[in-house]
Structure formats: C-alpha cells, structure tokens
Amino acid sequence: MSSAPVLQKDFAQTAAALRACRICRDAPRFGAPLPHEPRPVVQGSGSARLLIASQAPGNRAHRSGVPFSDPSGVRLRAWLGLSEAAFYDATKVAILPMGACFPGLDAKGGDRPPRRECAPAWRADLLAGLPQLDLILVIGQYAQAWHLGRNPGGLTETVAGWRDVLAASMRPRILPLPHPSWRNNGWLRKNPWFEAELLPVLRAEVASALTDAPGKGIAARGPSPSSA
C-alpha cells in the first residue's frame, strides 16, 4: 500500500458523479460493454467510521438501489452484530464495492466479477472522502487485493491471517472477510475457525469503531485489481 497522502474529497460530490458514470457501458476497457443500464450503488458520508469494502452489487441491490438488500446482507449484518437500521446509517457506515454496478450473470447463474473500469476511476476519490474511518472490512478477493495486495495463497490464507492484518500499523485498521453469499457455505463448513474465532472479534471491533472517538486518516489507495 502506498503511504502517499491523498487530498480530501467531498464524498457526496464524488458519489453523485459516480452515480452518473457510464464508462463500463459506453467506454468499456475490459471486455464487452455492461449489458444493462448501469446503476452504481454506494453508501457513505464524511463522518463514516466503518467501511465495508465489498465486491459488486447483486441483482437485488441493482433493482432496489440499496446495497446488500439480499440474503447475503442478512448474513453480513448477523456477522457484524448490526441491526438493519445501524447497517444503513450512512453517517457511520460506508459501503463501497470494487465495482459499483451489478456486473451481470455468468453462464452458471453466478455474478460476474466486478467491472475492472470502476475502481481505478473512482476508488481513490471515494476513499479520500472518508477521513474519519477507523475500520475497513475487506470482503472477498477483489477488495482484499486492492486494499492489502495480492496474496498467492488466495482468500483463505488472507482471511486466516486476520490477526496479523488487524494488528498491522496501517490506519484505518483492516479486517479481511469471506463473502457472506450462500455460495460460500462450503467454505464456512471447512473453516470453522471463522465463526469460532474471527466473528467474536469482528463484532467487538465493529462496535468499537462505531462508538469510540473518530479515527485518524484515510485509507491509502491500494494496487489496482488487474486480474479482477
């Protein structure tokens, strides 16, 4: 991660510009254009203390315009120990996917990876608009690659190393998580340490981030997810 300072931006202004963005449909740099009307879905404000760095909105979030408005969101809120009202309090919780629009479905009916045009164009300015962040939850391999760098051991090794990541000197602090999708039920069964050891710490860290004094500084821009 770079330690170079990032000029503070106004989150609301950047988010408004992002919501008007159509690069993945009108000027795609990676593959075919987005096959539907873009609808960027983000949440946040300059006072947010917690950032959920996720993958991309699903089909339900695309239709509703509300992030994690699906069963994955129900599981994620349970993991965090947050009510729906607290989760959607944009003054405290920011939600920034690596790709702000629903990327469409693949041949097997799963969500495609986040559009690769999005993060390089928008992420640094969005993060610069979140100066009070205390904790970033990096969900899934794409967010982990951006915020932590690529791990040859993949997602499991990254999440298994959560203690070292959380104890690192970087600010805001970072905690890696798997995606809460039902498609990861097998992963959760194979890795019972996640629920037994990481979840209690996760809930305590989230509660602390949302109640303690404001954090210091913003997250530096990480490496672009070049193979997303």
Side-chain angles (χ1 to χ4, degrees), residues 2-62:
S2 170
S3 60
V6 181
L7 294 177
Q8 186 170 337
K9 303 275 187 175
D10 182 84
F11 183 88
Q13 291 179 347
T14 303
L18 167 60
R19 292 185 180 105
C21 178
R22 297 295 182 268
I23 58 173
C24 58
R25 185 195 65 183
D26 298 344
R29 295 178 54 208
F30 305 99
L34 191 72
H36 51 262
E37 177 66 19
R39 188 180 191 182
V41 179
V42 297
Q43 171 182 304
S45 72
S47 62
R49 303 294 316 288
L50 172 68
L51 169 61
I52 298 171
S54 54
Q55 180 164 291
N59 193 25
R60 293 190 188 187
H62 171 71

Side-chain angles (χ1 to χ4, degrees), residues 80-136:
L80 306 184
L82 291 180
S83 67
E84 192 168 327
F87 184 82
Y88 289 117
D89 182 352
T91 67
K92 294 184 177 180
V93 179
I95 303 174
L96 300 182
M98 295 306 301
C101 293
F102 171 53
L105 301 176
D106 61 24
K108 296 182 179 179
D111 289 359
R112 293 183 181 276
R115 292 293 305 205
R116 292 169 61 190
E117 297 90 350
C118 193
W122 294 104
R123 199 160 191 82
D125 284 350
L126 289 166
L127 290 172
L130 300 172
Q132 301 299 325
L133 287 183
D134 182 68
L135 179 66
I136 301 176

Side-chain angles (χ1 to χ4, degrees), residues 39 41 57-70:
R39 188 180 191 182
V41 179
N59 193 25
R60 293 190 188 187
H62 171 71
R63 295 197 304 267
S64 68
V66 178
F68 285 103
S69 53
D70 54 22

Side-chain angles (χ1 to χ4, degrees), residues 126-200:
L126 289 166
L127 290 172
L130 300 172
Q132 301 299 325
L133 287 183
D134 182 68
L135 179 66
I136 301 176
L137 306 179
V138 285
I139 297 177
Q141 61 177 320
Y142 302 104
Q144 289 164 12
W146 182 276
H147 288 274
L148 295 172
R150 293 199 175 277
N151 186 335
L155 180 141
T156 298
E157 186 172 295
T158 299
V159 179
W162 64 270
R163 290 180 179 86
D164 291 337
V165 174
L166 187 61
S169 60
M170 67 185 78
R171 291 294 181 273
R173 296 168 303 137
I174 295 179
L175 194 55
L177 303 174
H179 196 281
S181 169
W182 64 268
R183 293 177 182 273
N184 277 340
N185 286 348
W187 187 93
L188 294 172
R189 286 192 295 269
K190 292 177 181 177
N191 298 279
W193 52 265
F194 173 76
E195 293 186 345
E197 300 173 22
L198 198 162
L199 281 191

